[in-house]
Amino acid sequence: MRESSRLSRRAVLGLTAAALPLPAAALPLSAATPAHAASGVTAIGGERLARAGLQAEGATGVPTKLLTARAWLVADGTTGEVLASFNAHQRLAPASTLKMLFADTVLKKFDRTEKYTVKDSDISDVPAGSSLVGIKAGITYTVEQLWQGVFLRSGNDAVHVLAHMNGGIAKTVAEMQARARDLQALDTHVVSPDGFDHPGQLSSAYDLTLFARHGLKDPDFRGYCGTRTANFPAGGKKTFQIQNTDRLLTGAWGLKTYDGLIGVKNGYTSHAGNTFTGAATRDGRTLLVTVMHPATGSNAVYEQTAALLDWGFTHGRTARPVGTLVEPLSEGGATASPAPGHAGGQTAGGTGAPAKGFSAGRLVEGAAGTAVLLAAAGGFLLRRRRQSRAARDAAGTGRPPAPRSAEPDLQEPPAPTDQPGGRHRR
């Protein structure tokens, strides 16, 4: 996979702008290690969700032997009750699951029948290595088609077009951050609207589940995330078919479709790994599951999501809630205050040894915080290059990855047959 060798001037300015206006509580992590949790864990949703490790009560059968994710959460989509969780508030790189927040923020601003002719400037700032739906300057698209590009193909080009229609990337990022605060998703720090890897771009299993639950209340959001295929403009009267990258929805790469699946959104980058929030309905009950950063295996995020959904529809019926998905402040939700981090986790039985995975760290405010962020960014990119070389050596190739295909999708998980260090295929 091609790695960026340096931060562009645009990226440096963007990261600086992102760092300055936010209080220290909003930037609790070192940007160089965004996959590690922080001190100052919030009690949003309940005190138990602020603890590290497994949180479950009154139910057996949690598939812990299968689960390798660094964080996960199971919740009732109707009541908002959290049935079980693991490191619910651990801040991790979200990848394209952050597009759910983008949709929560921008979706209702444009009528789906509205037409827009794309300009070069609308897609000139799409990061290299992005997942793309194939938008071309000079072609006119409907808003509905642009959202299909966002949800089905996780197209960063579609995100950037809609963001420019919304007034630009910076304005959209600011609105997304404000929306996250309204949803009480306080683990989330937005750097870009597309979920692409940027130092300091973070969310949590709890926050991603909030985004999904709120989004699914909107018929358009629900319709887009559940669409399997669509015809996309190619210029003139020509179209090409695009497919949803959610493998539990489509049954791709050897997976079976999950019975009753609604959506919602998957994500992958080389740094974040795999993330996924899925929702399914059975016998009138809707469950939400978020899985973040499972161990290596491109199908693992889907297999572990399916296992947690299965548990929720069976054993989860007897579970006593360990927390709740809070309501947006704008819809009458009560404000929850940050609480000190807890040193240890708790097992399903209510006792247990401290869980590993949480480390202390906090960015300071003002110029010092900006300096830390920018210095960390350089280290982050250096580590990415070293990790890429190490992966190629481990695969026994010692060669650069193969040339990218005509329609690269480096944010899409590699196929199950891919070897470490190989290019990421659809």
Side-chain angles (χ1 to χ4, degrees):
M1 175 176 177
R2 185 174 67 184
E3 299 287 350
S4 175
S5 59
R6 60 184 177 87
L7 283 173
S8 67
R9 183 171 180 267
R10 180 191 299 271
V12 171
L13 292 173
L15 289 171
T16 303
L20 284 173
L22 295 174
L27 285 172
L29 299 182
S30 165
T33 56
H36 294 161
S39 62
V41 177
T42 62
I44 302 294
E47 184 270 341
R48 286 194 63 169
L49 298 184
R51 303 178 188 176
L54 175 64
Q55 306 301 321
E57 195 73 48
T60 60
V62 178
T64 53
K65 291 184 179 180
L66 173 66
L67 299 172
T68 64
R70 300 182 67 180
W72 55 261
L73 185 144
V74 184
D76 187 299
T78 302
T79 67
E81 294 176 341
V82 177
L83 307 180
S85 70
F86 183 81
N87 298 344
H89 282 292
Q90 185 173 0
R91 294 173 172 94
L92 298 163
S96 288
T97 48
L98 194 65
K99 290 181 171 77
M100 293 187 293
L101 176 60
F102 174 71
D104 279 341
T105 305
V106 179
L107 185 60
K108 303 310 293 182
K109 292 193 174 189
F110 306 102
D111 188 275
R112 61 190 301 152
T113 61
E114 182 177 338
K115 295 182 179 181
Y116 182 77
T117 302
V118 173
K119 304 183 294 291
D120 285 324
S121 59
D122 295 327
I123 52 178
S124 62
D125 51 6
V126 176
S130 288
S131 52
L132 304 172
V133 67
I135 286 177
K136 304 296 182 184
I139 296 179
T140 299
Y141 302 86
T142 65
V143 166
E144 178 179 21
Q145 289 164 339
L146 293 172
W147 282 113
Q148 288 172 341
V150 172
F151 277 94
L152 275 67
R153 290 301 304 147
S154 202
N156 285 6
D157 46 357
V159 169
H160 280 242
V161 171
L162 286 163
H164 283 288
M165 290 173 63
N166 186 51
I169 300 297
K171 178 176 182 287
T172 301
V173 166
E175 290 180 354
M176 288 173 66
Q177 193 67 65
R179 188 58 170 156
R181 287 193 295 269
D182 177 61
L183 295 172
Q184 305 199 63
L186 302 188
D187 301 322
T188 297
H189 178 220
V190 183
V191 178
S192 68
D194 47 37
F196 197 79
D197 280 345
H198 291 286
Q201 181 138 279
L202 304 163
S203 192
S204 67
Y206 183 86
D207 285 9
L208 293 178
T209 311
L210 284 180
F211 302 153
R213 184 180 184 227
H214 184 269
L216 288 171
K217 295 177 182 179
D218 182 271
D220 287 337
F221 184 109
R222 193 180 184 97
Y224 289 135
C225 75
T227 300
R228 289 175 170 80
T229 63
N231 292 322
F232 200 77
K237 296 183 178 180
K238 296 181 179 180
T239 62
F240 59 94
Q241 189 183 81
I242 56 175
Q243 300 83 31
N244 201 310
T245 56
D246 176 352
R247 297 178 187 177
L248 289 184
L249 187 69
T250 63
W253 298 115
L255 284 174
K256 294 181 179 179
T257 57
Y258 192 86
D259 183 31
L261 194 79
I262 299 169
V264 179
K265 189 71 188 74
N266 58 323
Y268 174 83
T269 66
S270 60
H271 176 65
N274 291 277
T275 60
F276 182 58
T277 298
T281 299
R282 288 184 182 177
D283 299 324
R285 189 185 192 198
T286 297
L287 294 181
L288 296 164
V289 169
T290 294
V291 173
M292 300 187 75
H293 300 212
T296 303
S298 64
N299 276 340
V301 74
Y302 302 103
E303 292 166 346
Q304 293 177 36
T305 298
L308 286 168
L309 284 170
D310 286 344
W311 174 84
F313 285 123
T314 53
H315 299 284
R317 291 188 177 277
T318 63
R320 292 191 292 274
V322 295
T324 187
L325 300 177
V326 296
E327 298 297 331
L329 296 175
S330 60
E331 297 175 19
T335 303
S337 301
H342 294 264
Q346 187 168 351
T347 66
T351 61
K356 298 180 180 180
F358 280 77
S359 62
R362 180 177 295 219
L363 290 179
V364 297
E365 296 183 68
T370 304
V372 171
L373 184 62
L374 295 178
F380 163 75
L381 292 174
L382 179 60
R383 270 188 293 276
R384 288 181 65 184
R385 293 197 299 274
R386 288 174 177 171
Q387 290 168 356
S388 179
R389 288 195 296 268
R392 289 197 299 268
D393 293 341
T397 62
R399 298 189 302 271
R404 292 164 59 191
S405 61
E407 294 181 16
D409 194 0
L410 301 184
Q411 279 183 287
E412 171 64 5
T417 54
D418 283 354
Q419 297 298 316
R423 66 185 176 89
H424 296 167
R425 301 194 295 267
R426 291 186 178 83

